[in-house]
Amino acid sequence: MLAKHKIVTLGLQHILAMYAGAVVVPLIIGGALNLTPMQIAYLIAADLFTCGIATLLQVLGTRYTGIRLPVVLGCTFTAVGPIIAIASTSNLATAYGAIIISGIFVVLAAPLFGKLLRFFPTVVQGSVVTIIGLSLIPVAMNNAAGGQGMPDFGQPHNLLLALGTLVIILLINRFFTGFIRAISVLLGLIVGTAVAYTMGMVSFANVAEASWFSVVEPFYFGTPQFSIVAIVTMILVNIISMAESTGVYFALGKVTNTKVTDHDVVKGLRGEGVAIVLGGIFNAFPYTAFSQNVGLVSLTGIKSRDVMIGAGGILVVLGLLPKLAALTTVIPNAVLGGAMIAMFGMVVASGINILSQVDLSKNENLLIAACSIAVGLGSAAVPTMFDQLPTLAKMMLQNGIVTGSLTAVILNILLVHTNKKASQTAPANVTVSEAS
């Protein structure tokens, strides 16, 4: 049992690892829809609050919901485009109505999704985990360079900050043990931000302007409205998230040495469905398991669910205290990028470790791993190759985790399952031939 101060510190480290990904969604959506600064601030507060509730639901679990693994839930970036499109053509109330219905769909469809897990043997799991890590690497490198689209992108000071943060994390892991090593990422972020402050790269203006207390209100943007097209769109978004989350569950299972069964996945997906419904009620977003935190679990070796309970509690508090939430936004992109390189690289290493347990001398296994990783990484690296396709197809195929996972599952069915059926029928044919 970890001490309370350690749980809080380790939980804060997980929040800092996922914070940029969580906050960027309300910032993008709010900016695209020309919301007022007050409305955007509400979106961020509602998002953090619901992230915390959703994480607690998953980690604590019940008899029917919750994966009960050290997982953090955050808003899925896949939903950004559809939410903007729905709200632009109708209004935000219609978008939130679609989110609520799509969450109910996830709860009801979870058992069907669980029955498909026999198509996820070790070679598929290893390929999917590797793809998750590889698809995150460009995010880390863009942040290390200062953030994509930023005027100082690629400037030497950003690269040096990212490198310095990474070196600090590596040195702590090399020369320290126990609790200090476990919070190496947090210490790296603190030192990196302190150095950035001396360089004039840290501003506390947003902290000064933020209010001290805010209560998240249900249906802040109005009573939910419903549109068939909007609902179908959000259901497709959440099917993609279900595939992503399944890969994250398997990755966490390997990292924590826990056997993830189809029943566990069903409970996890049900938990996500409930979280998505809450997101619609509190005018936040659809939620999914955050893969970046898998790398942090692997890097620190801290596998306790207590840490994630602490993280969920802190997120709830941040959602109620905007000034504290704003404090975490002062960390420069370059500093985050340096930490991400270590965390996301650990996800790739975990995937390679899983694949090392597979007999890759068998041509079928080799083709499954090779083609799925190539397709997944290719989709993530060159998403514009699908620009000429219909919107829904483009939305799915531009997600490297989804395309890579589908490739692995389909090839496993074609190359392995069909071979097994053929080998099962072959002896009977030989016997008949010999008897004749």
Side-chain angles (χ1 to χ4, degrees), residues 225-421:
Q225 299 176 17
F226 304 98
S227 158
I228 296 297
V229 175
I231 290 169
V232 171
T233 301
M234 292 311 302
I235 285 175
L236 288 172
V237 167
N238 286 318
I239 288 174
I240 295 171
S241 294
M242 290 169 79
E244 283 189 86
S245 294
T246 301
V248 173
Y249 297 154
F250 283 130
L252 272 172
K254 295 296 181 182
V255 169
T256 59
N257 299 315
T258 304
K259 180 175 174 56
V260 177
T261 65
D262 56 349
H263 182 62
D264 294 326
V265 172
V266 170
K267 289 175 62 179
L269 293 177
R270 279 204 195 110
E272 286 196 15
V274 173
I276 293 166
V277 172
L278 289 175
I281 291 172
F282 289 112
N283 294 141
F285 309 97
Y287 290 93
T288 188
F290 261 23
S291 49
Q292 50 261 60
N293 293 88
V294 179
L296 188 53
V297 172
S298 180
L299 182 64
T300 62
I302 302 297
K303 305 166 186 178
S304 170
R305 291 189 299 128
D306 292 341
V307 172
M308 297 310 185
I309 293 171
I314 294 170
L315 282 168
V316 170
V317 171
L318 289 176
L320 298 174
L321 302 174
K323 195 172 284 290
L324 284 181
L327 187 62
T328 59
T329 65
V330 305
I331 303 172
N333 287 329
V335 174
L336 279 173
M340 287 175 177
I341 290 172
M343 292 187 298
F344 298 168
M346 288 297 290
V347 179
V348 178
S350 295
I352 294 172
N353 184 49
I354 296 170
L355 286 174
S356 70
Q357 303 166 28
V358 177
D359 185 2
L360 293 178
S361 64
K362 290 184 177 179
N363 197 48
E364 296 88 349
N365 289 336
L366 189 62
L367 283 172
I368 292 169
C371 293
S372 61
I373 292 172
V375 170
L377 183 58
S379 299
V382 193
T384 52
M385 66 187 292
F386 302 111
D387 280 352
Q388 305 306 314
L389 297 180
T391 302
L392 293 179
K394 181 173 72 173
M395 184 175 65
M396 292 184 68
L397 295 175
Q398 285 182 336
N399 188 310
I401 297 172
V402 173
T403 56
S405 300
L406 287 175
T407 302
V409 170
I410 291 170
L411 287 179
N412 179 60
I413 293 171
L414 293 177
L415 299 178
V416 178
H417 281 267
T418 53
N419 266 353
K420 284 181 180 178
K421 290 180 180 179

